[in-house]
Amino acid sequence: METGSITTPFGRRSMTLGMLANQVMASEIKPDQSVDKWKLFRALCEAKPLLGITDRALAVLNALLSFYPKNELAQENGLIVFPSNIQLSLRTHGMAEQTVRRHLAALVEAGLLLRKDSPNGKRYVRRDSAGEVNEAFGFSLAPLLARAEEIEQLAAEVMAERQHVQRLRERVTLCRRDIAKLIEAGVEEDVPGDWQGLYQEFRDLVEGLPRSPTTAQIEQLLDELTALRAEILNRLQTQIKSTKQRGNAHYIERHIQNSNPESTSELEPSFETKQGAAAEQDNGRGVVTTEGKKHEDAEMTKLEERQGGGPGGRHNAGGLKSFPLGLVLQACPEILAYGPNGVIGNWRELMSAAVTVRSMLGVSPSAYEEAANVMGAENAATVMACILERGGHINSAGGYLRDLTRRSEKGEFAIGPMLMALLRANAPAGRKAG
């Protein structure tokens, strides 16, 4: 029996207690014990994180197993393989011999192989007159056979942990989707609450997860997201109960209208025609002449008259409602550069900035006036701010605005998804959940 005696390594390699312990363990193999070598190798591939071995070391072990003549590792078949480093290099697809030796040493250190060195350190076999193996010198696979049950158990643990992490990630993904959609619904339905703050809290939780998180970190994130989702659901359910008590049919009708599944515009490019004549620019802002300023003031006056008393009104044409000015500016920060002194403090200033942007982007006054008629002046200004924010992705700002106007007339367009998409795009860069 190959493992019946203790052997020490050849040359300058020293003997260690770990090597001795591995030889003792390998000598305790049961006489009838056997295992399919390739099934065991697959288990090794699964258990490698717990065994501390690398892919390259497994490639060398795979080559060694290919030199074993039987599929079943068994003591009666012999457990010594004796290929040269050149042969191992060929079967590892040209791995350098020095690299092969390094990974062989790592497999021995990990307790998966034993060296049975010859007197001169060469690997070879002695056969009897009948051609049967009498004695072989090389690498013993006895530790694999002795540890087969342990390796399979470790592989099962790794697979169970991987499945657990996969389920956790799926639940995190579902929870993230729920929270984003529920916040969007709260904003769209004008439910009272600090939706901007809740959205920022949501982004902080997601972006706080490391690029390669541990299981415990994923579990903690899931708990925090679940609690946030429960809080948002509670607010929405409270609004539903309040609505039922009031019996507000108008609210319910508006809810049905705004729940159109086709209202998911996120400022995708929709036209191939190029933008019309580009307006003059000065440091990124449109140059407004005296006559142009007068024209814009007149345009603003007409917009305010259409709004029904100025920008304070909250009921816009077309059944669309305005969103908080702070939310619009957070989603569309580019529009701030067109406000007085780079600041926009009220709806009038936003609408004035939108008129400037309209001119700069080549949107005709008629297209913008039609949008204001259908959507309302505040919403038309909001849409123009969104178009500016994604200007590099839109070939024709005027054509895109007219398309949104037509969709708004049919009840197929909602501003909420557009703003939420830009909020996500303008969120601070951070690490995402895996």
Side-chain angles (χ1 to χ4, degrees):
M1 181 176 69
E2 293 86 359
T3 57
S5 60
I6 299 300
T7 61
T8 57
F10 171 79
R12 290 179 294 178
R13 290 193 296 266
S14 59
M15 184 70 175
T16 65
L17 291 178
M19 295 169 61
L20 181 60
N22 289 336
Q23 293 189 39
V24 171
M25 174 193 62
S27 67
E28 298 174 351
I29 298 173
K30 298 176 183 178
D32 58 345
Q33 187 175 351
S34 65
V35 64
D36 184 287
K37 65 179 182 181
W38 297 123
K39 180 180 177 181
L40 182 61
F41 181 74
R42 287 192 293 271
L44 273 169
C45 292
E46 292 287 352
K48 67 177 181 179
L50 300 182
L51 292 170
I53 52 177
T54 64
D55 295 339
R56 303 270 278 176
L58 283 174
V60 174
L61 181 59
N62 179 76
L64 280 174
L65 288 173
S66 70
F67 285 100
Y68 190 77
K70 306 286 186 180
N71 278 335
E72 290 287 324
L73 283 178
Q75 191 167 297
E76 61 182 16
N77 296 331
L79 294 170
I80 302 291
V81 289
F82 40 88
S84 66
N85 286 340
I86 294 177
Q87 291 173 314
L88 284 174
S89 177
L90 290 174
R91 292 207 185 179
T92 52
H93 308 288
M95 185 182 294
E97 290 185 39
Q98 183 178 1
T99 305
V100 169
R101 287 194 293 269
R102 185 170 70 250
H103 290 305
L104 286 171
L107 290 168
V108 171
E109 186 177 352
L112 299 176
L113 290 179
L114 284 178
R115 294 182 186 273
K116 187 177 181 183
D117 289 342
S118 66
N120 63 2
K122 301 295 184 180
R123 301 169 203 156
Y124 59 86
V125 62
R126 286 202 180 102
R127 301 180 184 274
D128 57 21
S129 57
E132 297 293 329
V133 175
N134 186 23
E135 188 173 18
F137 297 98
F139 289 100
S140 172
L141 303 175
L144 289 177
L145 183 57
R147 299 180 64 184
E149 186 176 344
E150 174 197 353
I151 291 170
E152 290 174 352
Q153 179 63 35
L154 291 175
E157 291 177 9
V158 170
M159 287 188 287
E161 177 68 11
R162 185 168 61 246
Q163 291 174 356
H164 175 58
V165 170
Q166 182 179 357
R167 286 193 293 269
L168 284 176
R169 288 183 179 276
E170 289 173 351
R171 292 173 62 189
V172 166
T173 298
L174 291 173
C175 204
R176 288 179 60 180
R177 185 181 70 190
D178 291 346
I179 291 173
K181 298 282 186 179
L182 291 171
I183 290 177
E184 186 176 306
V187 173
E188 180 70 18
E189 299 294 341
D190 209 11
V191 177
D194 183 15
W195 298 110
Q196 188 173 340
L198 288 171
Y199 181 79
Q200 189 59 50
E201 181 182 352
F202 167 54
R203 296 308 310 169
D204 290 343
L205 288 176
V206 172
E207 292 165 4
L209 191 69
R211 188 174 297 276
S212 300
T214 63
T215 303
Q217 288 172 326
I218 298 177
E219 289 174 342
Q220 181 180 356
L221 174 64
L222 179 60
D223 291 341
E224 292 171 340
L225 289 177
T226 301
L228 181 59
R229 180 176 60 182
E231 179 184 350
I232 296 171
L233 275 173
N234 183 57
R235 294 192 183 195
L236 296 179
Q237 288 170 351
T238 300
Q239 179 68 15
I240 291 172
K241 292 177 182 178
S242 174
T243 303
K244 286 182 178 180
Q245 289 173 357
R246 293 196 310 266
N248 191 334
H250 173 70
Y251 178 89
I252 296 173
E253 180 182 353
R254 186 180 65 179
H255 169 76
I256 294 173
Q257 178 182 356
N258 290 339
S259 298
N260 191 317
E262 297 179 1
S263 302
T264 57
S265 170
E266 292 192 3
L267 287 177
E268 68 278 11
S270 302
F271 295 88
E272 295 181 359
T273 59
K274 295 298 181 181
Q275 180 176 311
E280 296 182 83
Q281 294 187 6
D282 179 14
N283 297 327
R285 296 184 59 177
V287 175
V288 182
T289 63
T290 303
E291 291 186 3
K293 180 62 178 175
K294 291 179 180 178
H295 177 73
E296 290 178 5
D297 288 342
E299 193 171 338
M300 274 294 302
T301 300
K302 288 195 292 183
L303 290 174
E304 290 183 3
E305 290 173 353
R306 184 178 300 107
Q307 185 69 11
R314 306 300 297 169
H315 298 287
N316 289 310
L320 294 178
K321 58 183 173 299
S322 299
F323 289 84
L325 179 62
L327 181 67
V328 174
L329 295 178
Q330 184 179 5
C332 309
E334 292 291 332
I335 195 73
L336 290 170
Y338 300 89
N341 300 319
V343 176
I344 293 177
N346 53 53
W347 280 104
R348 176 180 173 80
E349 292 176 351
L350 176 64
M351 288 189 286
S352 176
V355 170
T356 302
V357 169
R358 172 202 65 71
S359 176
M360 184 192 75
L361 294 180
V363 177
S364 66
S366 62
Y368 190 63
E369 184 176 354
E370 183 182 3
N373 280 332
V374 173
M375 303 178 187
E378 291 181 6
N379 285 328
T382 299
V383 170
M384 188 55 62
C386 293
I387 292 175
L388 173 67
E389 197 68 28
R390 294 294 301 276
H393 301 276
I394 299 173
N395 292 327
S396 172
Y400 189 70
L401 181 62
R402 288 189 184 277
D403 179 65
L404 295 184
T405 302
R406 285 193 296 268
R407 291 169 59 184
S408 182
E409 283 182 315
K410 298 176 183 178
E412 298 175 353
F413 170 64
I415 299 178
M418 178 186 292
L419 286 175
M420 296 306 294
L422 289 173
L423 274 174
R424 288 191 292 270
N426 290 324
R431 295 177 178 175
K432 310 298 180 187

